[in-house]
Amino acid sequence: MSQSVNLHIYPAPIVNESRIFRQTRAVADAGLFERIVIGGQKSHGLPDREVLDDRRMIERVGAPADERPRSILGRIREQLAWSRAAYRAWRATDVRAVNAHSVAVLPVCHALARRHRAALIYDTHELETETSTSGGIQGKVFRLIERFYIRRCDAVFVVNESIADWYRRAYPGMRVTSVRNAPTRVEDPRPVDLRGRFAIPAEARVYVHVGNIVAHRHVSEILRAFAARESSGDHVVFIGSGALADDVRRAAAEHVNIHHLDAVPADAVVDTVAGGDVGLCLIEPTCLSYALSLPNKALEYSMAGIPFFYTDLVEVDRLLGGEATAWKIGATVDALTEAMATLADESIAEGRAAVTQVALPHWPEESARMLSEYRRVLGAA
């Protein structure tokens, strides 16, 4: 075992970064490094150093993020200042591999990798140069950074094959490895009684929306559709938090069929989702990153054993297979209300049967590909 460090850098406070936690746990279990450090940004109310287990710890550096609206130049200055703090924090650490979990930190990760003669791994969580915010100056800066540094990386990890194919076309000859998020549960779900928790009648149909309640999830359309069907017996439970959670809470105060449940621990998500009848995975494919995404909620609904309505997402098509396209809908208020009005109990039963046959990503297999790449770049057998 190497007496050295695998450093993972992400410009965030590191609180609910489930993918990073899962990846680093797999690396720790493989025994490739003595320590694994997850480097993040200082935040009020969080410790500068936080031990996760005997090999992993979080180190938060730099100044806390300014929560006030900033110009693009202000955000760039803030990122540069944080990158300088990150370099100072880990320039004396015995780093053997550096994982850059964002295009914005590729420059500082490259600088640290060069200083330590360490492996550099680009470990992107989405197609960052093709997001809804990648227009304008920020997008141009991100594209320049990625184009300059990506061929200096020893390995590239992405979240699904569609995004991997995009990188292979954009950078011919580049070695890209898909490491999909995957449920870690192995036992059958134990459904939470959502009807009992929210006094929903037994005969009512319960829809669930799990995950971040933020823009580009058609939250407004969902709220309006359920408000229109308040007398129909269709209820929706939003499970999570985010910038639009207050909109959900206000709607819940006005409509008896709209409910909100705060985010639950990661190991309780599938059980909670299983308390519903139908899921909602209405991602707005407003950018290529969203269009090529495989949302965690699609995996969670599938593992919970409930069918779900979804928008036009190629990776969900790939996950579910061609026969599931009956559940693909437009995300307008009219389309959603019509889908709910015409959905028969028999269709839900058929959907449940079909979703139990879905070949979900298996984390031991996904992480095995990742660990193989680690061993390759480290020169281990």
Side-chain angles (χ1 to χ4, degrees), residues 130-148:
E130 305 296 329
T131 68
S132 60
T133 60
S134 62
I137 295 176
Q138 177 173 303
K140 291 178 181 178
V141 170
F142 278 5
R143 290 185 188 97
L144 286 171
I145 291 173
E146 188 174 86
R147 287 169 188 163
F148 184 79

Side-chain angles (χ1 to χ4, degrees), residues 247-329:
D247 293 352
V248 173
R249 284 188 279 265
R250 281 192 292 268
E254 297 173 3
H255 302 281
V256 298
N257 66 329
I258 297 176
H259 315 277
H260 177 253
L261 180 64
D262 286 331
V264 299
D267 59 1
V269 169
V270 172
D271 288 340
T272 307
V273 166
D277 300 306
V278 178
L280 299 171
C281 181
L282 307 184
I283 306 297
E284 297 179 25
T286 53
C287 62
L288 192 57
S289 183
Y290 292 162
L292 298 183
S293 68
L294 176 57
N296 285 343
K297 54 175 58 68
L299 303 175
E300 290 155 353
Y301 296 144
S302 298
M303 188 157 207
I306 67 171
F308 56 95
F309 288 126
Y310 68 100
T311 43
D312 189 11
L313 300 170
V314 63
E315 280 291 317
V316 177
D317 284 343
R318 189 198 299 260
L319 175 75
L320 299 180
E323 295 181 2
T325 55
W327 292 88
K328 186 188 297 187
I329 64 170

Side-chain angles (χ1 to χ4, degrees), residues 5-6 11 36 54 69 87 89 139 160-161 166 201 232 240 244-245 277 304 310 313 352 377:
V5 171
N6 180 201
I36 299 169
D54 59 345
Y87 185 82
N160 63 53
E161 274 300 314
W166 185 93
S232 69
L244 301 181
D277 300 306
Y310 68 100
L313 300 170
R352 281 183 174 275
V377 302

Side-chain angles (χ1 to χ4, degrees), residues 209-272:
H209 177 285
V210 69
N212 292 332
I213 306 173
V214 293
H216 307 298
R217 303 294 185 270
H218 288 293
V219 173
S220 174
E221 288 82 357
I222 295 170
L223 293 175
R224 288 158 57 197
F226 278 89
R229 290 186 59 76
E230 188 167 9
S231 61
S232 69
D234 289 332
H235 287 245
V236 62
V237 178
F238 284 83
I239 306 162
S241 59
L244 301 181
D246 283 344
D247 293 352
V248 173
R249 284 188 279 265
R250 281 192 292 268
E254 297 173 3
H255 302 281
V256 298
N257 66 329
I258 297 176
H259 315 277
H260 177 253
L261 180 64
D262 286 331
V264 299
D267 59 1
V269 169
V270 172
D271 288 340
T272 307

